[in-house]
Amino acid sequence: MILTHDDRNSSYLLAVDTRTGKPLWRHERWPEKWGAVCVDLVTDGKAVFVTSSEQHKQCARFTIAGAALKQDWTHNRFACYTGGAVLIGGHLYGIDTKRGGQLKCLD
């Protein structure tokens, strides 16, 4: 699963078959200026978490449902710009740029 962009204002979640390189699915637009989603995607194999914090400070979790993604939730209370996020024991940790660089946890 990768994040790619087609224009200056959005990114897209894309899954490809690692053997053939063929696209499996592409999820709808994730708004962010210049496609600046700088934090790696975090997945546990069943769901994927994405966050951005340039122009659109937001995060979301998607369930992997066969050949598509289903958005479980989205909100703007947690947004990472750089660095990484890590999933430990069902809790997601990251540096929230909206709160002046504080370490935050989502469960």
Side-chain angles (χ1 to χ4, degrees):
M1 187 175 327
I2 60 173
L3 203 57
T4 185
H5 65 277
D6 288 342
D7 57 42
R8 294 181 176 196
N9 297 309
S10 58
S11 293
Y12 300 86
L13 292 166
L14 174 70
V16 296
D17 184 313
T18 56
R19 292 174 304 194
T20 66
K22 291 182 180 180
L24 298 173
W25 49 259
R26 176 179 156 162
H27 193 266
E28 63 190 49
R29 177 170 112 71
W30 178 269
E32 185 57 78
K33 187 164 177 88
W34 308 112
V37 182
C38 302
V39 175
D40 289 339
L41 301 173
V42 176
T43 184
D44 64 0
K46 298 175 188 169
V48 61
F49 175 82
V50 62
T51 181
S52 60
S53 186
E54 173 63 30
Q55 193 172 42
H56 300 280
K57 295 169 176 46
Q58 60 188 336
C59 67
R61 188 182 79 185
F62 300 87
T63 298
I64 300 169
L69 285 184
K70 178 186 142 241
Q71 186 170 322
D72 299 321
W73 52 259
T74 185
H75 63 75
N76 62 3
R77 295 180 303 230
F78 183 84
C80 300
Y81 181 68
T82 58
V86 62
L87 184 65
I88 301 173
H91 296 78
L92 186 74
Y93 297 89
I95 303 298
D96 185 3
T97 54
K98 289 182 72 173
R99 306 284 187 261
Q102 291 181 356
L103 177 65
K104 280 188 89 174
C105 173
L106 296 176
D107 61 5

